[in-house]
């Protein structure tokens, strides 16, 4: 038996209900408030941004999670980040938790709060309170997609993924298209499972999965004030930790690639494989250096086979690079080896770079460790989106 992707939602976990509603934070009645509710408190683990400017919901949710190590509800609003909003922002985040708790008859510290959107604007609490009341009334098992849509900001599509191993389910939703860079957890991600896992095992599974997926993507090199990955387990189905990890890694990689592919203004998903490195850390750092280079990203946007920029990007990491050992491939085309450029058909490579998904392999030939990173190209549309985001 193996893990397989399945077209199911988080609400297919027995004890989970959800709702996605519009409370007026976005234009055109777009969904902007999501609520996920469990029948009882369950163990949860989270990772938050390392950005020292942290949004109010992160401060509040971290405090709540530290009290019990459990959650029973998750409330998320989009459109307004509730970041850089002082004491009022903290009180507003607490009020969101309190309103959910009052509606459900649970302890407010069991409510996890998240927000995403514009930084520096106070929450429109009258609308949010009304949205929470509405969401609590329409909770159902049929709102899996609506929840994913409700947490979107500049995303162009809802990001959902689920995997199954027998009757064990892991299901997740994510949002993220801008301010994406590997530094703890660079987006909003919510993952649930019906598996039975010990608290310590959950922490290890989460860290391993994030290190291989969300820590290996970048859109623009910017981390957000609100970045969060939350993972909860309803403890219904027995499974070994090592087997569960494989499914968790499949899911998180799938969501991470969706985020990179949906980078603001992006036309390409770029996959960078660093192979045969002397350490896993080095492989990961070098891969991230390539996908975060604006020069590399701009070359991909223009379909330019400028592989020299890729070599320069790994050379600036501080790691020792033996250029005599390196082989560099764009797709299947070997373009550089043994310190020298190789003769290849440049036009064929340019044609390859027109694809929606492209791959680069940099083989260091110094060890046994491999790592994969994902990013997007840098286009004029990215500048347009972010030049007028607040206006």
């Amino acid at each position: 038996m193996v893990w397989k992707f399945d077209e199911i939602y988080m609400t297919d976990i027995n004890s989970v209900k959800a709702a996605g509603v519009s409370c007026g934070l976005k234009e055109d009645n777009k969904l902007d408030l999501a609520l996920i509710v469990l029948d009882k408190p369950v163990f949860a683990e989270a990772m938050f941004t390392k950005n020292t400017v942290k949004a109010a919901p992160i401060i509040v949710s971290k405090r709540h999670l530290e009290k019990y190590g459990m959650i029973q509800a998750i409330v998320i609003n989009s459109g307004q980040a509730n970041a850089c909003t002082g004491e009022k922002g903290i009180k507003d985040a607490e009020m969101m938790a309190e309103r959910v708790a009052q509606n459900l008859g649970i302890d407010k510290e069991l409510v996890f709060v998240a927000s995403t959107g514009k930084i520096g604007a106070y929450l429109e609490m009258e609308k949010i309170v009304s949205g929470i009341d509405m969401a609590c009334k329409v909770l159902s098992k049929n709102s899996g997609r609506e929840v994913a849509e409700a947490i979107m900001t500049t995303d162009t599509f809802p990001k959902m993924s689920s995997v199954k191993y027998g009757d064990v389910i892991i299901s997740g939703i994510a949002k993220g298209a801008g301010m994406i860079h590997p530094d703890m957890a660079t987006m909003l991600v919510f993952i649930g499972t019906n598996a039975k896992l010990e608290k310590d095992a959950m922490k290890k599974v989460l860290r391993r999965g994030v290190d291989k997926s969300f820590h290996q993507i970048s859109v623009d090199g910017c981390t957000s004030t609100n970045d969060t990955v939350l993972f909860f387990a309803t403890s219904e189905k027995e499974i070994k930790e090592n087997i569960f990890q494989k499914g968790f890694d499949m899911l998180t990689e799938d969501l991470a690639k969706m985020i990179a592919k949906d980078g603001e203004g992006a036309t390409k998903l770029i996959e960078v494989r660093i192979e045969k490195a002397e350490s896993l850390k080095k492989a990961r750092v070098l891969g991230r250096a390539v996908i975060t280079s604006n020069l590399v990203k701009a070359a991909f946007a223009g379909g330019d086979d400028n592989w020299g920029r890729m070599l320069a990007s790994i050379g600036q990491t501080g790691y020792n690079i033996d250029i005599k050992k390196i082989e560099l491939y764009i797709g299947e085309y070997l373009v550089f080896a043994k310190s020298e450029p190789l003769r290849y058909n440049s036009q064929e490579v340019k044609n390859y770079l027109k694809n929606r998904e492209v791959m680069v392999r940099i083989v260091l030939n110094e060890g046994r460790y491999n790592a994969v990173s994902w990013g997007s190209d840098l286009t004029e549309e990215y500048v347009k989106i972010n030049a007028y985001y607040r206006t």
Side-chain angles (χ1 to χ4, degrees):
M1 189 163 57
V2 296
W3 287 98
K4 293 182 179 179
F5 286 105
D6 203 319
E7 293 184 6
I8 56 177
Y9 301 110
M10 191 179 293
T11 47
D12 285 291
I13 298 172
N14 285 335
S15 56
V16 178
K17 292 181 180 179
V21 301
S22 171
C23 64
L25 300 180
K26 294 179 185 174
E27 297 177 350
D28 303 324
N29 294 318
K30 292 180 180 177
L31 301 179
D32 51 23
L33 188 134
L35 183 62
I36 301 168
V37 177
L38 297 109
D39 292 346
K40 61 182 180 180
V42 299
F43 287 126
E45 287 290 335
M47 294 173 66
F48 301 100
T49 183
K50 284 186 176 178
N51 194 317
T52 55
V53 179
K54 290 179 170 58
I58 283 187
I59 296 169
V60 169
S61 290
K62 191 174 182 181
R63 185 188 301 159
H64 286 191
L65 202 54
E66 285 173 350
K67 182 170 182 179
Y68 296 124
M70 307 180 84
I71 64 163
Q72 193 170 350
I74 307 164
V75 59
I76 314 130
N77 76 274
S78 58
Q80 297 164 359
N82 194 13
C84 305
T85 47
E87 284 301 314
K88 185 180 188 312
I90 299 291
K91 291 178 181 177
D92 287 346
E94 288 283 11
M95 187 182 296
M96 289 176 66
E98 289 172 2
R99 193 69 177 198
V100 172
Q102 289 170 4
N103 273 278
L104 301 178
I106 63 175
D107 190 327
K108 73 171 185 178
E109 278 82 12
L110 291 172
V111 181
F112 191 96
V113 182
S115 301
T116 182
K118 295 177 183 178
I119 295 172
Y122 292 118
L123 294 179
E124 297 177 75
M125 288 306 297
E126 187 174 334
K127 293 179 179 179
I128 288 177
V129 167
S130 175
I132 289 172
D133 292 346
M134 186 192 323
C136 288
K137 293 176 182 176
V138 297
L139 288 167
S140 77
K141 301 289 289 181
N142 303 313
S143 299
R145 184 180 178 85
E146 286 81 357
V147 168
E149 291 177 358
I151 67 174
M152 293 167 56
T153 50
T154 56
D155 306 65
T156 63
F157 62 89
K159 299 168 179 67
M160 304 167 285
S161 186
S162 297
V163 294
K164 287 188 74 175
Y165 182 90
D167 54 4
V168 176
I169 297 170
I170 313 174
S171 184
I173 61 172
K175 66 81 52 183
M179 296 186 83
I180 302 297
H181 187 62
D183 195 357
M184 186 60 73
T186 50
M187 67 293 303
L188 293 187
V189 180
F190 305 95
I191 301 170
T193 182
N194 61 354
K196 185 176 182 180
L197 296 168
E198 298 295 329
K199 197 83 163 63
D200 287 345
M202 290 182 67
K203 185 178 295 186
K204 289 187 287 185
V205 164
L206 178 61
R207 165 57 71 179
R208 294 186 197 117
V210 168
D211 279 348
K212 293 173 65 175
S213 58
F214 302 123
H215 277 180
Q216 292 301 114
I217 63 173
S218 184
V219 169
D220 49 20
C222 299
T223 60
S224 173
T225 54
N226 296 58
D227 305 335
T228 301
V229 175
L230 176 69
F231 170 41
F232 68 84
T234 62
S235 299
E236 299 169 44
K237 305 294 181 180
E238 298 279 354
I239 189 170
K240 292 181 179 179
E241 181 183 327
N242 64 325
I243 296 175
F244 184 85
Q245 186 76 61
K246 292 179 181 178
F248 192 87
D249 291 349
M250 279 178 60
L251 178 95
T252 51
E253 179 180 315
D254 194 38
L255 290 173
K257 289 170 70 173
M258 289 182 201
I259 291 170
K261 188 174 185 177
D262 196 29
E264 290 173 343
T267 64
K268 295 180 179 68
L269 173 68
I270 305 164
E271 179 172 297
V272 176
R273 294 181 172 269
I274 305 295
E275 301 177 11
K276 298 183 180 179
E278 62 184 347
S279 71
L280 181 58
K281 182 178 180 181
K282 182 176 181 178
R284 287 175 172 172
V285 170
L286 266 56
R288 293 199 297 264
V290 177
I291 63 168
T292 56
S293 166
N294 283 340
L295 287 174
V296 171
K297 290 156 69 67
F300 275 110
D304 182 4
D305 55 330
N306 195 336
W307 49 264
R309 292 179 176 179
M310 302 173 202
L311 293 176
S313 66
I314 64 173
Q316 68 184 20
T317 59
Y319 280 101
N320 181 52
I321 304 294
D322 189 344
I323 199 76
K324 295 178 181 178
K325 293 181 178 180
I326 289 179
E327 300 167 20
L328 194 155
Y329 296 80
I330 299 177
E332 63 182 18
Y333 301 95
L334 179 62
V335 299
F336 177 89
K338 298 180 180 179
S339 300
E340 296 181 353
L342 301 180
R343 297 183 65 178
Y344 64 94
N345 189 319
S346 181
Q347 189 55 54
E348 286 186 7
V349 177
K350 285 181 169 64
N351 290 337
Y352 169 74
L353 292 176
K354 293 178 182 179
N355 291 326
R356 184 70 175 89
E357 299 185 10
V358 296
M359 182 177 69
V360 171
R361 292 176 56 222
I362 301 177
V363 186
L364 301 180
N365 288 311
E366 62 184 20
R368 63 183 180 87
Y369 294 94
N370 306 318
V372 187
S373 301
W374 299 273
S376 56
D377 56 342
L378 180 61
T379 67
E380 292 180 29
E381 188 62 23
Y382 175 87
V383 177
K384 290 179 181 178
I385 291 169
N386 286 284
Y388 304 107
Y389 184 63
R390 283 176 54 90
T391 58

